[in-house]
Amino acid sequence: MKSSPVEPGGAPTGGPRGALHRARKVWGQITTDFRSPLPDSAEWSRARRLRVRLRLLYRRYGWKLVLAVICYYAVRDLTLYVIIPYLVARRLIAP
């Protein structure tokens, strides 16, 4: 386990180490992996290239990728279909 140096006050000096930092780092890796060229894919159809890329991403990241997609859609749908209508009904957004 890698430890970062600690200042006398108890705060780490190595920069951001929280869950948000790790999530951004993983998202950057996923984006880079998704955009990287596939070998010998020039003659493949677009659907096949997409299917192969998604399969490769799933093999590399596994359940974390599935969990990220589920969390994204859960937050989006909760905002669109629960929070915004509630605020409109309470007349906090639109008069």
Side-chain angles (χ1 to χ4, degrees), residues 23-59:
R24 285 181 180 169
K25 188 175 178 182
V26 169
W27 180 252
Q29 291 172 349
I30 290 171
T31 304
T32 303
D33 290 344
F34 191 74
R35 292 180 181 168
S36 64
L38 294 170
D40 302 327
S41 65
E43 66 277 353
W44 293 353
S45 68
R46 185 174 183 176
R48 183 175 180 195
R49 284 193 307 260
L50 180 63
R51 195 169 45 245
V52 169
R53 270 187 210 281
L54 290 174
R55 188 177 301 136
L56 290 173
L57 284 175
Y58 181 75
R59 284 183 185 160

PDB file of all heavy atoms in Angstrom, residues 23-59:
ATOM      1  N   ALA A  23     -12.007   7.989  -9.424  1.00  0.00           N
ATOM      2  CA  ALA A  23     -13.053   7.823 -10.436  1.00  0.00           C
ATOM      3  C   ALA A  23     -12.700   8.592 -11.704  1.00  0.00           C
ATOM      4  O   ALA A  23     -12.891   8.088 -12.814  1.00  0.00           O
ATOM      5  CB  ALA A  23     -14.394   8.287  -9.882  1.00  0.00           C
ATOM      6  N   ARG A  24     -12.182   9.799 -11.563  1.00  0.00           N
ATOM      7  CA  ARG A  24     -11.771  10.577 -12.736  1.00  0.00           C
ATOM      8  C   ARG A  24     -10.625   9.906 -13.474  1.00  0.00           C
ATOM      9  O   ARG A  24     -10.576   9.909 -14.704  1.00  0.00           O
ATOM     10  CB  ARG A  24     -11.361  11.984 -12.314  1.00  0.00           C
ATOM     11  CG  ARG A  24     -12.515  12.857 -11.968  1.00  0.00           C
ATOM     12  CD  ARG A  24     -12.070  14.229 -11.586  1.00  0.00           C
ATOM     13  NE  ARG A  24     -13.209  15.066 -11.242  1.00  0.00           N
ATOM     14  CZ  ARG A  24     -13.109  16.230 -10.673  1.00  0.00           C
ATOM     15  NH1 ARG A  24     -11.927  16.724 -10.355  1.00  0.00           N
ATOM     16  NH2 ARG A  24     -14.185  16.927 -10.383  1.00  0.00           N
ATOM     17  N   LYS A  25      -9.711   9.330 -12.735  1.00  0.00           N
ATOM     18  CA  LYS A  25      -8.577   8.642 -13.338  1.00  0.00           C
ATOM     19  C   LYS A  25      -9.048   7.421 -14.124  1.00  0.00           C
ATOM     20  O   LYS A  25      -8.629   7.204 -15.262  1.00  0.00           O
ATOM     21  CB  LYS A  25      -7.592   8.226 -12.246  1.00  0.00           C
ATOM     22  CG  LYS A  25      -6.299   7.673 -12.760  1.00  0.00           C
ATOM     23  CD  LYS A  25      -5.348   7.404 -11.613  1.00  0.00           C
ATOM     24  CE  LYS A  25      -4.062   6.795 -12.107  1.00  0.00           C
ATOM     25  NZ  LYS A  25      -3.150   6.486 -11.018  1.00  0.00           N
ATOM     26  N   VAL A  26      -9.943   6.643 -13.546  1.00  0.00           N
ATOM     27  CA  VAL A  26     -10.477   5.461 -14.233  1.00  0.00           C
ATOM     28  C   VAL A  26     -11.276   5.885 -15.454  1.00  0.00           C
ATOM     29  O   VAL A  26     -11.176   5.265 -16.515  1.00  0.00           O
ATOM     30  CB  VAL A  26     -11.331   4.607 -13.267  1.00  0.00           C
ATOM     31  CG1 VAL A  26     -12.106   3.540 -14.015  1.00  0.00           C
ATOM     32  CG2 VAL A  26     -10.450   3.972 -12.214  1.00  0.00           C
ATOM     33  N   TRP A  27     -12.083   6.943 -15.343  1.00  0.00           N
ATOM     34  CA  TRP A  27     -12.860   7.416 -16.484  1.00  0.00           C
ATOM     35  C   TRP A  27     -11.933   7.838 -17.623  1.00  0.00           C
ATOM     36  O   TRP A  27     -12.211   7.563 -18.789  1.00  0.00           O
ATOM     37  CB  TRP A  27     -13.764   8.570 -16.085  1.00  0.00           C
ATOM     38  CG  TRP A  27     -14.575   9.061 -17.239  1.00  0.00           C
ATOM     39  CD1 TRP A  27     -14.421  10.221 -17.914  1.00  0.00           C
ATOM     40  CD2 TRP A  27     -15.648   8.373 -17.878  1.00  0.00           C
ATOM     41  NE1 TRP A  27     -15.338  10.309 -18.934  1.00  0.00           N
ATOM     42  CE2 TRP A  27     -16.100   9.192 -18.935  1.00  0.00           C
ATOM     43  CE3 TRP A  27     -16.271   7.147 -17.658  1.00  0.00           C
ATOM     44  CZ2 TRP A  27     -17.141   8.818 -19.768  1.00  0.00           C
ATOM     45  CZ3 TRP A  27     -17.308   6.787 -18.505  1.00  0.00           C
ATOM     46  CH2 TRP A  27     -17.731   7.621 -19.531  1.00  0.00           C
ATOM     47  N   GLY A  28     -10.827   8.498 -17.304  1.00  0.00           N
ATOM     48  CA  GLY A  28      -9.855   8.878 -18.324  1.00  0.00           C
ATOM     49  C   GLY A  28      -9.250   7.660 -19.007  1.00  0.00           C
ATOM     50  O   GLY A  28      -9.066   7.644 -20.237  1.00  0.00           O
ATOM     51  N   GLN A  29      -8.956   6.615 -18.235  1.00  0.00           N
ATOM     52  CA  GLN A  29      -8.420   5.385 -18.814  1.00  0.00           C
ATOM     53  C   GLN A  29      -9.449   4.717 -19.725  1.00  0.00           C
ATOM     54  O   GLN A  29      -9.106   4.230 -20.802  1.00  0.00           O
ATOM     55  CB  GLN A  29      -8.011   4.415 -17.710  1.00  0.00           C
ATOM     56  CG  GLN A  29      -6.806   4.851 -16.922  1.00  0.00           C
ATOM     57  CD  GLN A  29      -6.553   3.954 -15.718  1.00  0.00           C
ATOM     58  OE1 GLN A  29      -7.379   3.142 -15.352  1.00  0.00           O
ATOM     59  NE2 GLN A  29      -5.397   4.127 -15.098  1.00  0.00           N
ATOM     60  N   ILE A  30     -10.710   4.675 -19.289  1.00  0.00           N
ATOM     61  CA  ILE A  30     -11.761   4.062 -20.101  1.00  0.00           C
ATOM     62  C   ILE A  30     -11.922   4.826 -21.409  1.00  0.00           C
ATOM     63  O   ILE A  30     -12.030   4.225 -22.488  1.00  0.00           O
ATOM     64  CB  ILE A  30     -13.089   4.009 -19.322  1.00  0.00           C
ATOM     65  CG1 ILE A  30     -12.991   2.989 -18.181  1.00  0.00           C
ATOM     66  CG2 ILE A  30     -14.258   3.658 -20.241  1.00  0.00           C
ATOM     67  CD1 ILE A  30     -14.164   3.010 -17.239  1.00  0.00           C
ATOM     68  N   THR A  31     -11.923   6.157 -21.341  1.00  0.00           N
ATOM     69  CA  THR A  31     -12.065   6.971 -22.548  1.00  0.00           C
ATOM     70  C   THR A  31     -10.913   6.728 -23.503  1.00  0.00           C
ATOM     71  O   THR A  31     -11.115   6.568 -24.710  1.00  0.00           O
ATOM     72  CB  THR A  31     -12.134   8.462 -22.168  1.00  0.00           C
ATOM     73  OG1 THR A  31     -13.198   8.652 -21.242  1.00  0.00           O
ATOM     74  CG2 THR A  31     -12.376   9.329 -23.376  1.00  0.00           C
ATOM     75  N   THR A  32      -9.697   6.681 -22.980  1.00  0.00           N
ATOM     76  CA  THR A  32      -8.534   6.425 -23.815  1.00  0.00           C
ATOM     77  C   THR A  32      -8.605   5.043 -24.447  1.00  0.00           C
ATOM     78  O   THR A  32      -8.336   4.879 -25.638  1.00  0.00           O
ATOM     79  CB  THR A  32      -7.247   6.545 -22.977  1.00  0.00           C
ATOM     80  OG1 THR A  32      -7.200   7.840 -22.388  1.00  0.00           O
ATOM     81  CG2 THR A  32      -6.018   6.338 -23.835  1.00  0.00           C
ATOM     82  N   ASP A  33      -8.984   4.046 -23.663  1.00  0.00           N
ATOM     83  CA  ASP A  33      -9.095   2.684 -24.190  1.00  0.00           C
ATOM     84  C   ASP A  33     -10.182   2.581 -25.250  1.00  0.00           C
ATOM     85  O   ASP A  33     -10.039   1.851 -26.226  1.00  0.00           O
ATOM     86  CB  ASP A  33      -9.382   1.693 -23.066  1.00  0.00           C
ATOM     87  CG  ASP A  33      -8.201   1.499 -22.146  1.00  0.00           C
ATOM     88  OD1 ASP A  33      -7.076   1.882 -22.533  1.00  0.00           O
ATOM     89  OD2 ASP A  33      -8.406   0.979 -21.034  1.00  0.00           O
ATOM     90  N   PHE A  34     -11.284   3.292 -25.066  1.00  0.00           N
ATOM     91  CA  PHE A  34     -12.392   3.222 -26.013  1.00  0.00           C
ATOM     92  C   PHE A  34     -12.021   3.857 -27.348  1.00  0.00           C
ATOM     93  O   PHE A  34     -12.455   3.408 -28.394  1.00  0.00           O
ATOM     94  CB  PHE A  34     -13.633   3.907 -25.435  1.00  0.00           C
ATOM     95  CG  PHE A  34     -14.876   3.644 -26.239  1.00  0.00           C
ATOM     96  CD1 PHE A  34     -15.498   2.416 -26.187  1.00  0.00           C
ATOM     97  CD2 PHE A  34     -15.407   4.619 -27.047  1.00  0.00           C
ATOM     98  CE1 PHE A  34     -16.638   2.158 -26.918  1.00  0.00           C
ATOM     99  CE2 PHE A  34     -16.545   4.381 -27.788  1.00  0.00           C
ATOM    100  CZ  PHE A  34     -17.165   3.141 -27.729  1.00  0.00           C
ATOM    101  N   ARG A  35     -11.183   4.888 -27.311  1.00  0.00           N
ATOM    102  CA  ARG A  35     -10.821   5.605 -28.534  1.00  0.00           C
ATOM    103  C   ARG A  35      -9.587   5.041 -29.226  1.00  0.00           C
ATOM    104  O   ARG A  35      -9.291   5.442 -30.343  1.00  0.00           O
ATOM    105  CB  ARG A  35     -10.596   7.075 -28.213  1.00  0.00           C
ATOM    106  CG  ARG A  35     -11.867   7.767 -27.811  1.00  0.00           C
ATOM    107  CD  ARG A  35     -11.637   9.207 -27.495  1.00  0.00           C
ATOM    108  NE  ARG A  35     -12.896   9.834 -27.089  1.00  0.00           N
ATOM    109  CZ  ARG A  35     -12.978  11.003 -26.539  1.00  0.00           C
ATOM    110  NH1 ARG A  35     -11.901  11.710 -26.304  1.00  0.00           N
ATOM    111  NH2 ARG A  35     -14.141  11.499 -26.204  1.00  0.00           N
ATOM    112  N   SER A  36      -8.872   4.156 -28.595  1.00  0.00           N
ATOM    113  CA  SER A  36      -7.661   3.610 -29.202  1.00  0.00           C
ATOM    114  C   SER A  36      -8.042   2.738 -30.399  1.00  0.00           C
ATOM    115  O   SER A  36      -9.063   2.055 -30.391  1.00  0.00           O
ATOM    116  CB  SER A  36      -6.871   2.797 -28.181  1.00  0.00           C
ATOM    117  OG  SER A  36      -7.613   1.678 -27.766  1.00  0.00           O
ATOM    118  N   PRO A  37      -7.206   2.779 -31.445  1.00  0.00           N
ATOM    119  CA  PRO A  37      -7.553   2.015 -32.655  1.00  0.00           C
ATOM    120  C   PRO A  37      -7.454   0.512 -32.432  1.00  0.00           C
ATOM    121  O   PRO A  37      -6.602   0.031 -31.693  1.00  0.00           O
ATOM    122  CB  PRO A  37      -6.523   2.490 -33.677  1.00  0.00           C
ATOM    123  CG  PRO A  37      -5.392   3.005 -32.874  1.00  0.00           C
ATOM    124  CD  PRO A  37      -5.976   3.527 -31.594  1.00  0.00           C
ATOM    125  N   LEU A  38      -8.340  -0.220 -33.090  1.00  0.00           N
ATOM    126  CA  LEU A  38      -8.319  -1.673 -33.036  1.00  0.00           C
ATOM    127  C   LEU A  38      -7.464  -2.198 -34.184  1.00  0.00           C
ATOM    128  O   LEU A  38      -7.555  -1.697 -35.299  1.00  0.00           O
ATOM    129  CB  LEU A  38      -9.733  -2.237 -33.159  1.00  0.00           C
ATOM    130  CG  LEU A  38     -10.689  -1.942 -32.018  1.00  0.00           C
ATOM    131  CD1 LEU A  38     -12.099  -2.361 -32.397  1.00  0.00           C
ATOM    132  CD2 LEU A  38     -10.247  -2.675 -30.773  1.00  0.00           C
ATOM    133  N   PRO A  39      -6.647  -3.209 -33.931  1.00  0.00           N
ATOM    134  CA  PRO A  39      -5.844  -3.760 -35.027  1.00  0.00           C
ATOM    135  C   PRO A  39      -6.712  -4.521 -36.025  1.00  0.00           C
ATOM    136  O   PRO A  39      -7.643  -5.223 -35.645  1.00  0.00           O
ATOM    137  CB  PRO A  39      -4.868  -4.702 -34.305  1.00  0.00           C
ATOM    138  CG  PRO A  39      -5.523  -5.025 -33.011  1.00  0.00           C
ATOM    139  CD  PRO A  39      -6.368  -3.850 -32.661  1.00  0.00           C
ATOM    140  N   ASP A  40      -6.409  -4.366 -37.296  1.00  0.00           N
ATOM    141  CA  ASP A  40      -7.096  -5.079 -38.386  1.00  0.00           C
ATOM    142  C   ASP A  40      -8.606  -4.867 -38.373  1.00  0.00           C
ATOM    143  O   ASP A  40      -9.378  -5.787 -38.626  1.00  0.00           O
ATOM    144  CB  ASP A  40      -6.802  -6.581 -38.324  1.00  0.00           C
ATOM    145  CG  ASP A  40      -5.322  -6.886 -38.412  1.00  0.00           C
ATOM    146  OD1 ASP A  40      -4.624  -6.134 -39.111  1.00  0.00           O
ATOM    147  OD2 ASP A  40      -4.881  -7.858 -37.782  1.00  0.00           O
ATOM    148  N   SER A  41      -9.043  -3.660 -38.109  1.00  0.00           N
ATOM    149  CA  SER A  41     -10.486  -3.404 -38.043  1.00  0.00           C
ATOM    150  C   SER A  41     -10.983  -2.542 -39.192  1.00  0.00           C
ATOM    151  O   SER A  41     -12.122  -2.092 -39.170  1.00  0.00           O
ATOM    152  CB  SER A  41     -10.830  -2.729 -36.721  1.00  0.00           C
ATOM    153  OG  SER A  41     -10.224  -1.447 -36.658  1.00  0.00           O
ATOM    154  N   ALA A  42     -10.168  -2.311 -40.193  1.00  0.00           N
ATOM    155  CA  ALA A  42     -10.556  -1.425 -41.293  1.00  0.00           C
ATOM    156  C   ALA A  42     -11.744  -1.973 -42.082  1.00  0.00           C
ATOM    157  O   ALA A  42     -12.602  -1.216 -42.531  1.00  0.00           O
ATOM    158  CB  ALA A  42      -9.374  -1.192 -42.220  1.00  0.00           C
ATOM    159  N   GLU A  43     -11.822  -3.281 -42.256  1.00  0.00           N
ATOM    160  CA  GLU A  43     -12.900  -3.854 -43.057  1.00  0.00           C
ATOM    161  C   GLU A  43     -14.128  -4.223 -42.230  1.00  0.00           C
ATOM    162  O   GLU A  43     -15.124  -4.672 -42.766  1.00  0.00           O
ATOM    163  CB  GLU A  43     -12.398  -5.097 -43.813  1.00  0.00           C
ATOM    164  CG  GLU A  43     -12.020  -6.268 -42.935  1.00  0.00           C
ATOM    165  CD  GLU A  43     -10.622  -6.185 -42.352  1.00  0.00           C
ATOM    166  OE1 GLU A  43      -9.857  -5.288 -42.721  1.00  0.00           O
ATOM    167  OE2 GLU A  43     -10.305  -7.024 -41.502  1.00  0.00           O
ATOM    168  N   TRP A  44     -14.093  -4.045 -40.924  1.00  0.00           N
ATOM    169  CA  TRP A  44     -15.223  -4.384 -40.064  1.00  0.00           C
ATOM    170  C   TRP A  44     -16.315  -3.333 -40.171  1.00  0.00           C
ATOM    171  O   TRP A  44     -16.054  -2.153 -40.412  1.00  0.00           O
ATOM    172  CB  TRP A  44     -14.790  -4.472 -38.607  1.00  0.00           C
ATOM    173  CG  TRP A  44     -13.870  -5.603 -38.293  1.00  0.00           C
ATOM    174  CD1 TRP A  44     -13.490  -6.608 -39.121  1.00  0.00           C
ATOM    175  CD2 TRP A  44     -13.204  -5.832 -37.063  1.00  0.00           C
ATOM    176  NE1 TRP A  44     -12.632  -7.443 -38.477  1.00  0.00           N
ATOM    177  CE2 TRP A  44     -12.435  -7.005 -37.208  1.00  0.00           C
ATOM    178  CE3 TRP A  44     -13.178  -5.178 -35.850  1.00  0.00           C
ATOM    179  CZ2 TRP A  44     -11.661  -7.514 -36.192  1.00  0.00           C
ATOM    180  CZ3 TRP A  44     -12.409  -5.686 -34.829  1.00  0.00           C
ATOM    181  CH2 TRP A  44     -11.663  -6.851 -34.999  1.00  0.00           C
ATOM    182  N   SER A  45     -17.535  -3.738 -39.915  1.00  0.00           N
ATOM    183  CA  SER A  45     -18.639  -2.784 -39.879  1.00  0.00           C
ATOM    184  C   SER A  45     -18.551  -1.977 -38.574  1.00  0.00           C
ATOM    185  O   SER A  45     -17.869  -2.366 -37.627  1.00  0.00           O
ATOM    186  CB  SER A  45     -19.982  -3.517 -39.949  1.00  0.00           C
ATOM    187  OG  SER A  45     -20.190  -4.252 -38.764  1.00  0.00           O
ATOM    188  N   ARG A  46     -19.261  -0.880 -38.555  1.00  0.00           N
ATOM    189  CA  ARG A  46     -19.242  -0.020 -37.372  1.00  0.00           C
ATOM    190  C   ARG A  46     -19.818  -0.742 -36.155  1.00  0.00           C
ATOM    191  O   ARG A  46     -19.314  -0.612 -35.041  1.00  0.00           O
ATOM    192  CB  ARG A  46     -20.038   1.248 -37.660  1.00  0.00           C
ATOM    193  CG  ARG A  46     -19.988   2.246 -36.558  1.00  0.00           C
ATOM    194  CD  ARG A  46     -20.669   3.512 -36.949  1.00  0.00           C
ATOM    195  NE  ARG A  46     -20.542   4.474 -35.868  1.00  0.00           N
ATOM    196  CZ  ARG A  46     -20.976   5.706 -35.942  1.00  0.00           C
ATOM    197  NH1 ARG A  46     -21.545   6.151 -37.031  1.00  0.00           N
ATOM    198  NH2 ARG A  46     -20.842   6.513 -34.923  1.00  0.00           N
ATOM    199  N   ALA A  47     -20.875  -1.519 -36.367  1.00  0.00           N
ATOM    200  CA  ALA A  47     -21.491  -2.256 -35.263  1.00  0.00           C
ATOM    201  C   ALA A  47     -20.528  -3.292 -34.690  1.00  0.00           C
ATOM    202  O   ALA A  47     -20.453  -3.469 -33.468  1.00  0.00           O
ATOM    203  CB  ALA A  47     -22.772  -2.938 -35.743  1.00  0.00           C
ATOM    204  N   ARG A  48     -19.776  -3.966 -35.559  1.00  0.00           N
ATOM    205  CA  ARG A  48     -18.821  -4.969 -35.073  1.00  0.00           C
ATOM    206  C   ARG A  48     -17.693  -4.313 -34.288  1.00  0.00           C
ATOM    207  O   ARG A  48     -17.270  -4.828 -33.247  1.00  0.00           O
ATOM    208  CB  ARG A  48     -18.260  -5.767 -36.244  1.00  0.00           C
ATOM    209  CG  ARG A  48     -17.317  -6.859 -35.779  1.00  0.00           C
ATOM    210  CD  ARG A  48     -16.847  -7.722 -36.902  1.00  0.00           C
ATOM    211  NE  ARG A  48     -15.935  -8.744 -36.390  1.00  0.00           N
ATOM    212  CZ  ARG A  48     -15.146  -9.456 -37.138  1.00  0.00           C
ATOM    213  NH1 ARG A  48     -15.167  -9.295 -38.456  1.00  0.00           N
ATOM    214  NH2 ARG A  48     -14.347 -10.346 -36.617  1.00  0.00           N
ATOM    215  N   ARG A  49     -17.184  -3.172 -34.784  1.00  0.00           N
ATOM    216  CA  ARG A  49     -16.121  -2.461 -34.045  1.00  0.00           C
ATOM    217  C   ARG A  49     -16.607  -2.035 -32.669  1.00  0.00           C
ATOM    218  O   ARG A  49     -15.884  -2.157 -31.680  1.00  0.00           O
ATOM    219  CB  ARG A  49     -15.649  -1.247 -34.847  1.00  0.00           C
ATOM    220  CG  ARG A  49     -14.758  -1.596 -36.004  1.00  0.00           C
ATOM    221  CD  ARG A  49     -14.060  -0.374 -36.561  1.00  0.00           C
ATOM    222  NE  ARG A  49     -14.961   0.701 -36.905  1.00  0.00           N
ATOM    223  CZ  ARG A  49     -15.383   0.980 -38.124  1.00  0.00           C
ATOM    224  NH1 ARG A  49     -14.983   0.270 -39.146  1.00  0.00           N
ATOM    225  NH2 ARG A  49     -16.199   1.986 -38.338  1.00  0.00           N
ATOM    226  N   LEU A  50     -17.844  -1.531 -32.581  1.00  0.00           N
ATOM    227  CA  LEU A  50     -18.402  -1.123 -31.303  1.00  0.00           C
ATOM    228  C   LEU A  50     -18.546  -2.316 -30.361  1.00  0.00           C
ATOM    229  O   LEU A  50     -18.197  -2.248 -29.183  1.00  0.00           O
ATOM    230  CB  LEU A  50     -19.753  -0.433 -31.503  1.00  0.00           C
ATOM    231  CG  LEU A  50     -20.463   0.051 -30.247  1.00  0.00           C
ATOM    232  CD1 LEU A  50     -19.635   1.118 -29.553  1.00  0.00           C
ATOM    233  CD2 LEU A  50     -21.831   0.580 -30.586  1.00  0.00           C
ATOM    234  N   ARG A  51     -19.051  -3.427 -30.900  1.00  0.00           N
ATOM    235  CA  ARG A  51     -19.230  -4.639 -30.092  1.00  0.00           C
ATOM    236  C   ARG A  51     -17.880  -5.152 -29.560  1.00  0.00           C
ATOM    237  O   ARG A  51     -17.761  -5.509 -28.390  1.00  0.00           O
ATOM    238  CB  ARG A  51     -19.927  -5.702 -30.937  1.00  0.00           C
ATOM    239  CG  ARG A  51     -20.491  -6.832 -30.169  1.00  0.00           C
ATOM    240  CD  ARG A  51     -21.394  -7.743 -30.993  1.00  0.00           C
ATOM    241  NE  ARG A  51     -20.855  -8.079 -32.302  1.00  0.00           N
ATOM    242  CZ  ARG A  51     -21.393  -7.711 -33.468  1.00  0.00           C
ATOM    243  NH1 ARG A  51     -22.476  -6.981 -33.490  1.00  0.00           N
ATOM    244  NH2 ARG A  51     -20.852  -8.066 -34.611  1.00  0.00           N
ATOM    245  N   VAL A  52     -16.850  -5.145 -30.411  1.00  0.00           N
ATOM    246  CA  VAL A  52     -15.524  -5.611 -29.993  1.00  0.00           C
ATOM    247  C   VAL A  52     -14.941  -4.672 -28.947  1.00  0.00           C
ATOM    248  O   VAL A  52     -14.360  -5.110 -27.952  1.00  0.00           O
ATOM    249  CB  VAL A  52     -14.590  -5.744 -31.218  1.00  0.00           C
ATOM    250  CG1 VAL A  52     -13.153  -5.957 -30.791  1.00  0.00           C
ATOM    251  CG2 VAL A  52     -15.053  -6.884 -32.104  1.00  0.00           C
ATOM    252  N   ARG A  53     -15.096  -3.359 -29.143  1.00  0.00           N
ATOM    253  CA  ARG A  53     -14.585  -2.394 -28.147  1.00  0.00           C
ATOM    254  C   ARG A  53     -15.252  -2.573 -26.793  1.00  0.00           C
ATOM    255  O   ARG A  53     -14.584  -2.556 -25.760  1.00  0.00           O
ATOM    256  CB  ARG A  53     -14.841  -0.974 -28.619  1.00  0.00           C
ATOM    257  CG  ARG A  53     -13.755  -0.414 -29.429  1.00  0.00           C
ATOM    258  CD  ARG A  53     -14.033   1.053 -29.697  1.00  0.00           C
ATOM    259  NE  ARG A  53     -13.459   1.437 -30.946  1.00  0.00           N
ATOM    260  CZ  ARG A  53     -12.179   1.705 -31.112  1.00  0.00           C
ATOM    261  NH1 ARG A  53     -11.369   1.633 -30.107  1.00  0.00           N
ATOM    262  NH2 ARG A  53     -11.711   2.038 -32.286  1.00  0.00           N
ATOM    263  N   LEU A  54     -16.572  -2.716 -26.798  1.00  0.00           N
ATOM    264  CA  LEU A  54     -17.287  -2.898 -25.532  1.00  0.00           C
ATOM    265  C   LEU A  54     -16.871  -4.198 -24.848  1.00  0.00           C
ATOM    266  O   LEU A  54     -16.730  -4.242 -23.630  1.00  0.00           O
ATOM    267  CB  LEU A  54     -18.792  -2.857 -25.756  1.00  0.00           C
ATOM    268  CG  LEU A  54     -19.349  -1.483 -26.126  1.00  0.00           C
ATOM    269  CD1 LEU A  54     -20.822  -1.581 -26.457  1.00  0.00           C
ATOM    270  CD2 LEU A  54     -19.105  -0.484 -25.024  1.00  0.00           C
ATOM    271  N   ARG A  55     -16.661  -5.245 -25.619  1.00  0.00           N
ATOM    272  CA  ARG A  55     -16.214  -6.514 -25.049  1.00  0.00           C
ATOM    273  C   ARG A  55     -14.813  -6.356 -24.434  1.00  0.00           C
ATOM    274  O   ARG A  55     -14.551  -6.868 -23.336  1.00  0.00           O
ATOM    275  CB  ARG A  55     -16.198  -7.597 -26.121  1.00  0.00           C
ATOM    276  CG  ARG A  55     -15.920  -8.972 -25.556  1.00  0.00           C
ATOM    277  CD  ARG A  55     -15.987 -10.055 -26.601  1.00  0.00           C
ATOM    278  NE  ARG A  55     -17.301 -10.090 -27.220  1.00  0.00           N
ATOM    279  CZ  ARG A  55     -17.509 -10.206 -28.539  1.00  0.00           C
ATOM    280  NH1 ARG A  55     -16.492 -10.330 -29.360  1.00  0.00           N
ATOM    281  NH2 ARG A  55     -18.730 -10.233 -29.006  1.00  0.00           N
ATOM    282  N   LEU A  56     -13.923  -5.644 -25.114  1.00  0.00           N
ATOM    283  CA  LEU A  56     -12.581  -5.422 -24.579  1.00  0.00           C
ATOM    284  C   LEU A  56     -12.623  -4.582 -23.302  1.00  0.00           C
ATOM    285  O   LEU A  56     -11.904  -4.856 -22.342  1.00  0.00           O
ATOM    286  CB  LEU A  56     -11.686  -4.753 -25.621  1.00  0.00           C
ATOM    287  CG  LEU A  56     -11.287  -5.612 -26.811  1.00  0.00           C
ATOM    288  CD1 LEU A  56     -10.555  -4.778 -27.848  1.00  0.00           C
ATOM    289  CD2 LEU A  56     -10.449  -6.786 -26.370  1.00  0.00           C
ATOM    290  N   LEU A  57     -13.476  -3.553 -23.295  1.00  0.00           N
ATOM    291  CA  LEU A  57     -13.610  -2.734 -22.093  1.00  0.00           C
ATOM    292  C   LEU A  57     -14.147  -3.552 -20.935  1.00  0.00           C
ATOM    293  O   LEU A  57     -13.689  -3.426 -19.794  1.00  0.00           O
ATOM    294  CB  LEU A  57     -14.528  -1.539 -22.350  1.00  0.00           C
ATOM    295  CG  LEU A  57     -13.934  -0.390 -23.139  1.00  0.00           C
ATOM    296  CD1 LEU A  57     -14.999   0.657 -23.416  1.00  0.00           C
ATOM    297  CD2 LEU A  57     -12.767   0.223 -22.410  1.00  0.00           C
ATOM    298  N   TYR A  58     -15.130  -4.419 -21.207  1.00  0.00           N
ATOM    299  CA  TYR A  58     -15.685  -5.252 -20.142  1.00  0.00           C
ATOM    300  C   TYR A  58     -14.640  -6.229 -19.609  1.00  0.00           C
ATOM    301  O   TYR A  58     -14.556  -6.465 -18.409  1.00  0.00           O
ATOM    302  CB  TYR A  58     -16.922  -6.008 -20.630  1.00  0.00           C
ATOM    303  CG  TYR A  58     -17.527  -6.852 -19.535  1.00  0.00           C
ATOM    304  CD1 TYR A  58     -18.257  -6.253 -18.522  1.00  0.00           C
ATOM    305  CD2 TYR A  58     -17.326  -8.218 -19.492  1.00  0.00           C
ATOM    306  CE1 TYR A  58     -18.797  -7.012 -17.499  1.00  0.00           C
ATOM    307  CE2 TYR A  58     -17.856  -8.984 -18.474  1.00  0.00           C
ATOM    308  CZ  TYR A  58     -18.587  -8.375 -17.482  1.00  0.00           C
ATOM    309  OH  TYR A  58     -19.103  -9.121 -16.458  1.00  0.00           O
ATOM    310  N   ARG A  59     -13.840  -6.783 -20.502  1.00  0.00           N
ATOM    311  CA  ARG A  59     -12.787  -7.702 -20.051  1.00  0.00           C
ATOM    312  C   ARG A  59     -11.756  -6.987 -19.186  1.00  0.00           C
ATOM    313  O   ARG A  59     -11.214  -7.573 -18.253  1.00  0.00           O
ATOM    314  CB  ARG A  59     -12.082  -8.338 -21.238  1.00  0.00           C
ATOM    315  CG  ARG A  59     -12.886  -9.420 -21.881  1.00  0.00           C
ATOM    316  CD  ARG A  59     -12.125 -10.063 -22.992  1.00  0.00           C
ATOM    317  NE  ARG A  59     -12.965 -11.025 -23.684  1.00  0.00           N
ATOM    318  CZ  ARG A  59     -12.720 -11.460 -24.901  1.00  0.00           C
ATOM    319  NH1 ARG A  59     -11.669 -11.033 -25.562  1.00  0.00           N
ATOM    320  NH2 ARG A  59     -13.532 -12.333 -25.453  1.00  0.00           N
TER     321      ARG A  59
END
